Amino acid sequence: AQSVTQLGSHVSVSEGALVLLRCNYSSSVPPYLFWYVQYPNQGLQLLLKYTSAATLVKGINGFEAEFKKSETSFHLTKPSAHMSDAAEYFCAVSSSGGYNKLIFGAGTRLAVHP
Amino acid sequence: EAGVTQFPSHSVIEKGQTVTLRCDPISGHDNLYWYRRVMGKEIKFLLHFVKESKQDESGMPNNRFLAERTGGTYSTLKVQPAELEDSGVYFCASSQDLDSPLHFGNGTRLTVT
C-alpha cells in the first residue's frame, strides 16, 4: 500500500534562506509523486509532479524536487525563500486506484520571517 | 476560465442536522473528485465521478454520506445526519482526463457542533 510521510509539520526559515521540505513515500509500484501548495483561504495548487521522466523536477515559483528511488524520497527545495512562499505544502503519491486518487502527507506549514 | 467553485465556503450545523455541499467543476472536466481533511490530519480521498457515474467511492466513510452528480455537471455531497467527527474541510477537484492535473476548489469548511 502506498503512503506518504512529511517530516516536520512546521518549518520556519528566514527570507532568502534555503527552503527544504521533506517527503518520503512508500509504494509497491513506480510512483507518481506530487507537491501541492495551499495558500491561506485558497485551494490546493499543483507545484510540480514526477511521472518517471527526469528525476529532478522543476515547478512553479522557483521550486524543484528530486526523486531519489534509493531513499524513497521526493524532497522539495527552493534556493531562496520569499515572504510569499508562506503556505502549507503537501506531498502526495498516486494510489494504485488511479493517477488522481491521491494519498497525501499530513502537510508542512512553512513560515518565512524577515 | 473559471476555476472549481465550492459552496458554501463555511457551514456550521448542529449534530444530527443535514448539510449539502456543492461543487461546480471546470467546464468540460469529466472527472470530479471529493477529498476531505479532518482536524488538520491528512487530506483523504472520498470519491471520484466520471461524468455522472461513480467511478470509485471507496473513500466514503459511511452511509451518512451521499454524493451525486446528476447530468455530469455539478456535484453535491450530502451529510445526513451530521456527526461531530464530520467536521473538517471538504475539497472538490476536477480534471479533464484521468491523467491530467487536478484543479482544486477552495474547499468548504464544515463545523458540526
Side-chain angles (χ1 to χ4, degrees), chain B residues 22 41 89:
Chain B
R22 174 171 169 146
K41 296 186 177 179
V89 181

Side-chain angles (χ1 to χ4, degrees), chain A residues 62-109:
Chain A
F63 284 93
E64 63 182 35
E66 186 172 8
F67 171 70
K68 291 187 176 181
K69 184 177 179 180
S70 61
E71 299 177 8
T72 61
S73 69
F74 191 56
H75 301 332
L76 181 71
T77 60
K78 182 175 180 178
S80 178
H82 192 273
M83 298 295 288
S84 61
D85 294 326
E88 191 161 20
Y89 293 79
F90 297 92
C91 182
V93 64
S94 291
S95 75
S96 57
Y99 182 82
N100 279 323
K101 184 179 179 181
L102 301 177
I103 296 169
F104 284 89
T108 297
R109 188 169 297 278

